[in-house]
Amino acid sequence: MLDVETLRWTRLPSMPVPASIKTTSMAWTPDGRLVLTGDYVMTDKVYPAEPDYASMVVDWRPGEGALRVKRLPVARGEIAVLAPR
């Protein structure tokens, strides 16, 4: 992640993570958190199968040492996306 004010790069904790690029969505919240949703790999297989993915929401604030992760109750084939209020 690039801070455009200081031009310094920051690596998010635990990133990169294996995810389905087609299902990933991210947005900044007004209070400065980065929120991501998507289907993330839940196995260490080199070629994960469809059942090896789970829908998650990830929350992080710059400076924090860890991501907060929560599994979403989304049925297979459905996609969790971020929507503004």
Side-chain angles (χ1 to χ4, degrees):
M1 177 177 68
L2 175 64
D3 183 328
V4 294
E5 292 180 9
T6 65
L7 299 180
R8 296 187 73 199
W9 287 98
T10 301
R11 184 171 179 255
L12 273 65
S14 304
M15 291 293 205
V17 297
S20 173
I21 299 299
K22 294 179 181 179
T23 67
T24 305
S25 178
M26 68 178 80
W28 287 98
T29 63
D31 65 353
R33 292 177 296 129
L34 179 62
V35 178
L36 302 98
T37 63
D39 287 346
Y40 294 91
V41 177
M42 301 300 295
T43 180
D44 59 358
K45 293 179 186 175
V46 175
Y47 298 105
E50 188 175 329
D52 296 327
Y53 288 84
S55 293
M56 304 279 186
V57 62
V58 178
D59 175 9
W60 178 74
R61 186 183 308 275
E64 292 180 338
L67 302 172
R68 285 181 295 282
V69 179
K70 182 175 182 180
R71 191 168 183 162
L72 297 173
V74 177
R76 292 300 317 150
E78 293 183 15
I79 298 174
V81 296
L82 297 172
R85 290 189 195 224

